[in-house]
Each structure stands twice: as structure tokens, then as C-alpha cells.
Amino acid sequence: MSEKIAKVLSIIFHPVLLPTLGLLLLLNSGFYFTMLSWEAKRFVLLVVFFSTCILPLLSVAIMALNPRFNIMMPNSRDRVMPLLSSSIFYYLGFMLLNKARAFPEFKLFLLASVLVITVLLIVSFKWKISNHMAAIGGLAGTLFALSFRGGINPVYSIMIVVLISGLVGTARLILQKHTIVQLIAGYGLGFSILYCIIYFF
């Protein structure tokens, strides 16, 4: 894999885009909530996109007005404020879906993601864990939890997520953004929290 392709993959599967892309995949994976009307799906997608992508990006853009803030966030501590603001926006998305009486899986997805971000925030004070892998790991955990809980085997969706996981991990290594341990830690964190919360609750 070339460095250019690695950069493209890191952008396409960035943590701010993965919740929306992941929800699109889940809505077309054969689970019972895939029977929702297009209007209902569109509402959920808009809430998730707004709270997990638009608002976090706007907050980073505002932080970038400060010349002391490095938008590339090379150090772990540079990620503290963006992660803090993201956790607030994710919780806002959860509250909107809760008020709209959306399916519990959608609400749990955002609520569990808040927990993942909180742990990432705490870890980032001392160590540079991979946010990219935490995001794709969370999607994988969600998919497996729904599969085991519902007795459904969305084999193609699982194959897609596993493939993307490998590509994103390889891309981050090629770009020298993380070590293999940081990638595994991020993936394991996202997977375990999303899996446990969605499967058991």
C-alpha cells in the first residue's frame, strides 16, 4: 500500500465519518430495524451525522483559530479537547434519538460511543491510542453483538468491516501514526465496549 492510498483511507474512514458510514451499513445488513421507512432512516442518519461529524468538525475548526492548537494533533494531549467536545456532541445525539423514541440499538450505539470517547480521553493524557481503530473496532463490536443477539449472520457486512479494519490499521502503520500496540489497544477498546453494551443491554 502506498502512502497516498494510506492517506485516502485514513480520511474516508476517519472517526468523524465512521459512525454515519457504519449506521448506513447496519441499516442494510438484514437486522429487524432495516424495515424502517426511508423517512425514519433519514432522520436517524441526519442526527448521527450532525452529532458525530458536523459538530465535532466545527469545534475543531474553532479550536484551530488558536495558533497554539495544532490541527494535525501529533501528540496525545492535543486530542483531549476535541475528544471532550465530541463526547458532548455524541451525548446530544443520544438525547435527540431518545426523545424521538428511536430503536434502542441506535441510542445504545451513541451512548456506548460516549463511553469509548471518555476512555480515549483519559488514556490520551498519557498515551497515544488509535482513535481510528477504536472507531472501526466499535463498529465491528456493534455488528457482532447485533448478530449474536438477533441470531442473524450478515456475512457480507462482517466481511466488509473486517476488511476495512485491516486496511485502516495498515494505513495507520504506513503513515507511522501509531505503533501496532496502539492500534490493537484502540481496536480492542472500541470492540469490547460496543459489544458488551449492545449485547447485554
Side-chain angles (χ1 to χ4, degrees), residues 111-121 134-135 138 186 189-191 193-194:
L111 192 60
S113 296
V114 172
L115 181 56
V116 172
I117 294 173
T118 302
V119 177
L120 288 173
L121 173 63
L189 173 67
F191 186 98
I193 290 179
L194 266 295

Side-chain angles (χ1 to χ4, degrees), residues 86-103:
S86 292
S87 65
I88 295 171
F89 297 139
Y90 272 61
Y91 188 74
L92 175 62
F94 162 75
M95 293 297 292
L96 289 172
L97 291 181
N98 190 48
K99 190 172 183 179
R101 300 182 184 277
F103 278 106

Side-chain angles (χ1 to χ4, degrees), residues 156-169:
Y156 294 113
S157 296
I158 291 174
M159 289 173 60
I160 289 171
V161 172
V162 170
L163 176 62
I164 293 173
S165 299
L167 289 173
V168 172

Side-chain angles (χ1 to χ4, degrees), residues 16-17 20 48-58 90:
V16 297
L17 293 175
T20 304
V48 171
F49 181 65
F50 187 71
S51 60
T52 66
C53 182
I54 299 299
L55 289 178
L57 285 178
L58 282 175
Y90 272 61

Side-chain angles (χ1 to χ4, degrees), residues 25-190:
L25 181 65
L26 293 174
L27 287 172
N28 293 280
S29 296
F31 299 112
Y32 73 94
F33 48 74
T34 60
M35 303 303 293
L36 282 169
S37 66
W38 166 240
E39 289 75 16
K41 291 180 180 179
R42 183 176 59 184
F43 172 77
V44 174
L45 283 168
L46 284 174
V47 170
V48 171
F49 181 65
F50 187 71
S51 60
T52 66
C53 182
I54 299 299
L55 289 178
L57 285 178
L58 282 175
S59 68
V60 170
I62 293 172
M63 293 176 198
L65 296 176
N66 184 345
R68 297 170 59 185
F69 178 76
N70 187 342
I71 198 169
M72 298 304 293
M73 293 177 267
N75 301 313
S76 60
R77 284 182 174 268
D78 295 330
R79 304 178 177 199
V80 170
M81 287 307 298
L83 285 171
L84 180 61
S85 61
S86 292
S87 65
I88 295 171
F89 297 139
Y90 272 61
Y91 188 74
L92 175 62
F94 162 75
M95 293 297 292
L96 289 172
L97 291 181
N98 190 48
K99 190 172 183 179
R101 300 182 184 277
F103 278 106
E105 289 82 359
F106 303 144
K107 295 183 287 186
L108 284 173
F109 178 71
L110 286 180
L111 192 60
S113 296
V114 172
L115 181 56
V116 172
I117 294 173
T118 302
V119 177
L120 288 173
L121 173 63
I122 295 170
V123 173
S124 292
F125 279 104
K126 294 292 184 181
W127 196 51
K128 190 180 179 183
I129 191 170
S130 175
N131 294 348
H132 276 76
M133 294 308 289
I136 189 65
L139 176 57
T142 300
L143 190 58
F144 276 93
L146 291 173
S147 299
F148 286 121
R149 203 170 89 172
I152 299 172
N153 183 21
V155 59
Y156 294 113
S157 296
I158 291 174
M159 289 173 60
I160 289 171
V161 172
V162 170
L163 176 62
I164 293 173
S165 299
L167 289 173
V168 172
T170 302
R172 303 308 285 171
L173 282 176
I174 289 174
L175 295 174
Q176 298 181 349
K177 297 294 185 180
H178 294 284
T179 65
I180 187 68
V181 175
Q182 292 168 343
L183 295 176
I184 293 172
Y187 194 86
L189 173 67

